[in-house]
Amino acid sequence: VVLDRPNPLGGAVEGNLPDPAYASFVGLYPLPVRHGKTIGELAVYFNKKYQWGADLHVVKMKGWKRSMRFDETGLPWVMPSPNMPTLDTATVYAGMCLLEATNLSEGRGTTRPFEIVGAPFIDGHRLARALEKKNLPGVAFRPLAFRPTFNKWANQTCGGVQLHVTNFKNFKSFLTGLIFLQTVQELHPRRFKWNPPPYEYETVKRPIDILCGTDRI
């Protein structure tokens, strides 16, 4: 029995369709990173598509529309993870989680994980200017300095930016994450690094490849 619940980002779809050869704990079946489905819809899809044979019953929601963002439902936000404290975090997560595959801090150890990002070798003002030139839709970048209390670069001063989503409907989180990484590579080709495995129970394939579901990106 699955009690269905809202997709906090509504029904928007974004991202590539992962290659099954890169299936992992972070992406077991070929779905875009933003799939636009509810947990009940995914259960029905997987049960039929992959012939699970489950005696499945989905308790449907009342009053939800796919165009709704979570703050339009009237429901309280309950953290699905200690590093997903707000809807703002969820909004940027689909793209900024790609930083986990690099030597950049994705903001773990701050009060705004995945919104505050950077590294000690980054000049936040320079990075913010470079990102603004990319003309990414629905987002602005504010330079800052921060000191994570744990995880990457713990207790070290990092330069970076804070993402401010200015237009939720236009914002492309996955695209923003990819362009962010590309921009840091352009500014710091010798300091930026891809992390090697292991990562999330995968010991062979690179973290960035299993997060993207392909090695083409």
Side-chain angles (χ1 to χ4, degrees):
V1 177
V2 175
L3 305 181
D4 208 2
R5 62 203 65 194
N7 183 319
L9 303 182
V13 176
E14 186 188 2
N16 56 294
L17 195 64
D19 183 340
Y22 288 86
S24 72
F25 178 77
V26 297
L28 192 55
Y29 295 105
L31 285 176
V33 65
R34 289 182 68 185
H35 48 72
K37 299 294 187 183
T38 70
I39 197 70
E41 290 171 335
L42 290 177
V44 170
Y45 171 69
F46 291 146
N47 196 41
K48 182 177 181 180
K49 174 74 174 178
Y50 298 100
Q51 300 179 341
W52 285 358
D55 181 12
L56 177 65
H57 178 69
V58 175
V59 179
K60 297 182 179 181
M61 294 181 284
K62 295 181 179 179
W64 185 72
K65 297 179 181 179
R66 203 172 301 277
S67 60
M68 286 181 173
R69 200 166 110 111
F70 194 83
D71 56 3
E72 298 175 306
T73 66
L75 299 172
W77 179 263
V78 179
M79 294 190 299
S81 161
N83 286 296
M84 191 70 66
T86 70
L87 177 58
D88 291 334
T89 323
T91 301
V92 302
Y93 177 77
M96 302 315 290
C97 71
L98 298 177
L99 273 65
E100 293 184 4
T102 74
N103 63 342
L104 306 178
S105 168
E106 65 272 14
R108 293 179 189 271
T110 76
T111 57
R112 307 295 289 191
F114 303 101
E115 296 174 71
I116 291 175
V117 292
F121 56 84
I122 288 177
D123 179 330
H125 291 274
R126 185 185 179 205
L127 176 59
R129 288 192 298 267
L131 287 167
E132 291 293 349
K133 291 179 180 178
K134 303 292 185 178
N135 293 317
L136 288 161
V139 63
F141 301 93
R142 183 175 63 86
L144 51 66
F146 63 98
R147 289 172 64 91
T149 58
F150 59 85
N151 206 260
K152 296 177 192 171
W153 308 114
N155 300 313
Q156 298 185 54
T157 300
C158 297
V161 297
Q162 180 174 356
L163 282 73
H164 295 274
V165 176
T166 57
N167 187 316
F168 173 76
K169 291 184 178 180
N170 291 342
F171 177 60
K172 304 294 184 184
S173 54
F174 189 63
L175 174 65
T176 299
L178 292 175
I179 296 298
F180 181 91
L181 293 179
Q182 181 187 47
T183 304
V184 175
Q185 280 186 301
E186 291 170 350
L187 296 177
H188 303 281
R190 296 182 180 180
R191 302 292 299 275
F192 173 84
K193 303 292 183 184
W194 298 109
N195 288 343
Y199 174 75
E200 296 290 8
Y201 312 108
E202 170 62 48
T203 60
V204 178
K205 298 181 179 69
R206 295 192 305 176
I208 189 62
D209 294 343
I210 64 169
L211 281 172
C212 292
T214 177
D215 63 355
R216 297 179 65 188
I217 292 177

